[in-house]
Amino acid sequence: MADTDWPGCARSLKGVILDMCGVLYDSGEGDGVAIPGSIEAVKRLKASDLQLRFCTNETQAARETFVAKLQRLGFDILVSEVFSPAPAAAAVLKERGLRPHLLVYDGLLPEFDSVDQSNPNCVVIGDAAEKFTYQNLNEAFRVLTDLEKPLLFSLGQGRYYKETDGLKLDVGAYMKALEYACDLKAEVVGKPSPTFFQSVLNDMGLQPHEALMIGDDLVNDVGGAQRCGMRGVQVRTGKYRSVGSFNLPKINMSPYWPPLGHGCSYWLVKPSMSVCEQPKFPLLRCHLVLWLNLCFYNR
Amino acid sequence: MMEVSNMAGRRALKAVLIDLSGTLHVEETAVPGAQDALNRLREASVAVKFVTNTTKESKKHLLERLHRLNFDLQEEEIFTSLSAARTLLEQKRHRPLLLVEDSALQDFTGIETSEPNAVVIGLAPEQFNYQTLNKAFRLVLDGAPLIAIHKARYYKRRDGLALGPGPFVAALEYATDRNAIVVGKPEKSFFAEALSNLGCNPNEAVMIGDDARDDVGGAQNAGMLGILVRTGKYREGDERKIHPSPHLTCESFPEAVEHILKNML
């Protein structure tokens, strides 16, 4: 029976999966901006005996491109450590003999070079940003309605994300638009799909309860991970908003739990919360660096 | 022997509500025979009103086109979802960000739009770009009410089907986790307001339209009877998508009028 309190959890932990945008950096002009302390935190994780992988729903650029961007910002990260939806989707399309009509950012197209795109029999949407024009959405809509078996893949289902110049609509909003227009349900590739998390765990050779997901998105990062049996930590950076529809009750800290820095507290997610199904473990909200201090304190 | 008519429980027909785009005409082409059918309907003693979710055009625009196509009607007989939206804005004193076509802005003259604290969405392809939708999204996320003129999934253009405002409203509802207030078809309030100055109850009225869910489903849900026509955006099988199914499904507006004149008066 796995420990459900933090000192016990920290001891049985063998791997950490980090979300990227909103945890390591904020995207925006140029390369974006590293979140203070995150470069150092990644170095500490790599120096520890914990396995580390990066998981992102980034779909504006191919892996090589955004990993290079993070390396320029100072992060110690390799393409082989990164899991993103586009390569996972390309694999699914080939496996099922599907030919996609793509509505994705130009920077993502190389991830689909090896996929036959003639005579499309499905639609794939990613975070296309300015390419989400009425004309492009209409074209995708028409491809779907002309198909006998309309099939829509969405690379993620996020509602919005944060860039340095404000909050922006994410692919999930446009997925809902096409779902509504065509009266169908999209298949989501990427967080929070359990298949996606499982592929990362398989790569690490770990059981779900041995791994921890850290992200800024309560539903797609933490919720998705918890549904697989992993533990979740939500950080108060990135798209985290203290005023939102997720009001979690605070709990009293056990006396032996070490104090965290200013602005951090513990929250316990109760089973009645609709956001995370059957949470088995406590949720901890804090800045990534301070959490690491807690983790290492208890090992 | 008692004969139970399928009009049991219904009073005599007093009013006919008629959809415009897709029912009387498709863009600049009238449905064949529709002008004569309308004249025949007027000769019978029923009130007639034209109801539309068209948000791209003001009432004057609509009227001008219908007159060009030789339809006999007056501006007061037209009730649009834009009118319904304006009424709501005035009641609540909202200052809207208007995502409507330029040609529809005429129907909102006099409404303050600086420092918006509400978002109004109609059919506005030019405005459904990434930047403008993000602006609308941020307003709603910060608490502005989201008012949808209607939520049609798509409509028929000369070059094929095209996305209506519904998908974009759904996108914003999902992103903000809020529900839009819908003022047009198929809301009950829209049909009630359309009938309000005709002096009749919903069960004394029938709606003719090409959209199974928004025209026929909405009208029947408001207590009226609905006739679905196979023109405009109609696609095979649409009549099976609503419950109860349409009172009648027929080829086009002239056939609907024939049925009314023969069986419902």
Side-chain angles (χ1 to χ4, degrees):
Chain A
M1 176 81 164
D3 286 315
T4 55
D5 60 337
W6 268 102
C9 282
R11 275 192 293 276
S12 61
L13 202 60
K14 291 191 181 151
V16 173
I17 304 177
L18 294 181
D19 175 39
M20 295 168 69
C21 187
V23 174
L24 303 181
Y25 75 101
D26 276 330
S27 60
E29 269 197 43
D31 284 348
V33 164
I35 291 172
S38 290
I39 295 173
E40 160 75 21
V42 170
K43 283 204 176 93
R44 293 194 66 191
L45 277 168
K46 286 210 162 179
S48 76
D49 58 354
L50 293 167
Q51 286 205 62
L52 181 62
R53 296 291 184 278
F54 302 88
C55 198
T56 179
N57 269 5
E58 164 64 60
T59 56
Q60 282 196 23
R63 268 165 309 168
E64 282 74 12
T65 313
F66 66 78
V67 168
K69 174 171 83 173
L70 280 151
Q71 285 167 347
R72 279 196 299 275
L73 285 176
F75 285 97
D76 177 6
I77 177 175
L78 302 168
V79 171
S80 57
E81 296 166 332
V82 174
F83 288 74
S84 67
V92 167
L93 293 169
K94 281 188 238 178
E95 212 180 299
R96 287 159 66 170
L98 293 168
R99 299 179 305 277
H101 170 90
L102 295 173
L103 178 47
V104 300
Y105 210 65
D106 286 345
L108 196 68
L109 291 169
E111 298 269 26
F112 293 94
D113 276 346
S114 63
V115 181
D116 179 7
Q117 294 167 44
S118 64
N119 198 20
N121 54 12
C122 70
V123 169
V124 173
I125 56 166
D127 174 14
E130 310 85 57
K131 275 183 71 173
F132 277 133
T133 60
Y134 182 80
Q135 286 76 4
N136 288 342
L137 282 161
N138 220 28
E139 216 189 313
F141 162 66
R142 284 180 181 172
V143 169
L144 286 167
T145 49
D146 282 341
L147 293 171
E148 209 183 290
K149 284 203 192 115
L151 199 52
L152 172 64
F153 291 95
S154 181
L155 303 180
Q157 61 174 40
R159 293 155 64 206
Y160 57 87
Y161 58 83
K162 178 173 180 243
E163 290 212 331
T164 48
D165 57 338
L167 297 177
K168 301 198 175 164
L169 292 170
D170 199 356
V171 62
Y174 292 95
M175 170 194 83
K176 281 290 165 186
L178 288 174
E179 285 189 334
Y180 181 82
C182 304
D183 202 10
L184 53 61
K185 275 263 162 283
E187 282 189 44
V188 177
V189 179
K191 298 180 284 181
S193 155
T195 325
F196 188 70
F197 285 113
Q198 195 56 54
S199 67
V200 186
L201 289 169
N202 289 345
D203 192 65
M204 293 196 286
L206 293 179
Q207 294 302 306
H209 70 270
E210 297 172 317
L212 172 84
M213 171 81 203
I214 303 179
D216 65 330
D217 186 320
L218 190 62
V219 173
N220 292 303
D221 296 334
V222 178
Q226 288 197 316
R227 268 192 294 277
C228 292
M230 295 164 59
R231 280 165 265 185
V233 170
Q234 183 184 24
V235 287
R236 292 162 68 176
T237 48
K239 73 165 71 106
Y240 169 83
R241 279 161 57 93
S242 57
V243 177
S245 46
F246 310 123
N247 275 317
L248 303 185
K250 283 192 186 181
I251 55 160
N252 286 324
M253 284 163 42
S254 297
Y256 60 82
W257 285 12
L260 296 174
H262 166 74
C264 293
S265 345
Y266 296 101
W267 273 265
L268 181 65
V269 176
K270 295 206 178 112
S272 59
M273 295 304 295
S274 57
V275 168
C276 303
E277 294 164 19
Q278 298 171 343
K280 299 190 183 79
F281 308 100
L283 258 199
L284 179 66
R285 286 184 182 187
C286 64
H287 191 287
L288 177 58
V289 170
L290 294 167
W291 173 80
L292 279 176
N293 287 330
L294 167 69
C295 185
F296 289 111
Y297 173 91
N298 280 304
R299 290 174 76 76
Chain B
M1 196 153 90
M2 283 271 275
E3 272 207 14
V4 182
S5 105
N6 60 1
M7 295 281 287
R10 298 214 155 249
R11 320 234 195 100
L13 194 67
K14 283 193 183 158
V16 179
L17 298 188
I18 306 168
D19 174 48
L20 291 178
S21 171
T23 301
L24 288 187
H25 69 99
V26 175
E27 296 207 349
E28 296 296 323
T29 310
V31 167
Q35 299 92 332
D36 282 339
L38 177 59
N39 292 336
R40 280 202 303 281
L41 191 60
R42 285 193 186 283
E43 283 161 16
S45 53
V46 281
V48 160
K49 209 168 211 188
F50 304 90
V51 292
T52 176
N53 268 359
T54 300
T55 63
K56 290 183 77 170
E57 293 145 310
S58 63
K59 275 198 205 182
K60 283 203 159 48
H61 258 99
L62 294 170
L63 193 66
E64 277 162 19
R65 176 202 275 124
L66 290 159
H67 282 169
R68 269 200 308 275
L69 297 177
N70 295 317
F71 285 101
D72 168 28
L73 77 166
Q74 312 302 316
E75 195 175 327
E76 312 78 73
E77 293 176 310
I78 302 178
F79 179 68
T80 77
S81 44
L82 284 174
S83 334
R86 192 199 168 100
T87 308
L88 181 65
L89 290 171
E90 282 169 341
Q91 273 167 6
K92 306 271 181 177
R93 294 186 223 262
H94 288 319
R95 295 183 308 280
L97 171 69
L98 289 166
L99 268 61
V100 300
E101 287 276 293
D102 287 346
S103 50
L105 286 174
Q106 208 173 17
D107 282 355
F108 290 95
T109 38
I111 305 256
E112 184 59 56
T113 55
S114 62
E115 284 177 33
N117 59 6
V119 173
V120 172
I121 301 197
L123 177 60
E126 297 297 307
Q127 307 263 31
F128 292 153
N129 56 65
Y130 190 60
Q131 286 79 2
T132 311
L133 282 173
N134 272 336
K135 194 169 162 197
F137 157 65
R138 289 171 199 166
L139 279 170
V140 178
L141 195 65
D142 283 339
L146 176 59
I147 299 170
I149 297 193
H150 63 86
K151 283 185 75 173
R153 289 159 200 260
Y154 51 83
Y155 67 107
K156 178 102 198 283
R157 275 197 322 214
R158 247 178 325 233
D159 60 339
L161 293 181
L163 291 170
F168 298 94
V169 175
L172 289 176
E173 285 182 319
Y174 174 75
T176 58
D177 199 24
R178 304 265 306 275
N179 284 328
I181 303 160
V182 185
V183 296
K185 294 181 279 179
E187 298 300 304
K188 269 190 202 169
S189 53
F190 178 85
F191 293 99
E193 217 180 312
L195 292 175
S196 63
N197 68 347
L198 298 183
C200 77
N201 293 316
N203 65 3
E204 297 167 317
V206 67
M207 167 82 197
I208 307 173
D210 66 323
D211 186 321
R213 277 197 184 95
D214 286 359
D215 294 333
V216 179
Q220 296 191 153
N221 192 42
M224 301 165 56
L225 285 177
I227 298 178
L228 181 62
V229 288
R230 292 195 178 98
T231 48
K233 72 157 73 106
Y234 172 84
R235 298 184 98 202
E236 191 56 52
D238 275 354
E239 59 269 33
R240 288 186 289 277
K241 289 188 183 158
I242 59 167
H243 301 285
S245 47
H247 173 71
L248 175 72
T249 304
C250 61
E251 277 318 292
S252 66
F253 177 68
E255 281 79 14
V257 168
E258 276 314 299
H259 175 86
I260 290 172
L261 295 175
K262 267 199 205 127
N263 304 310
M264 295 174 84
L265 295 177

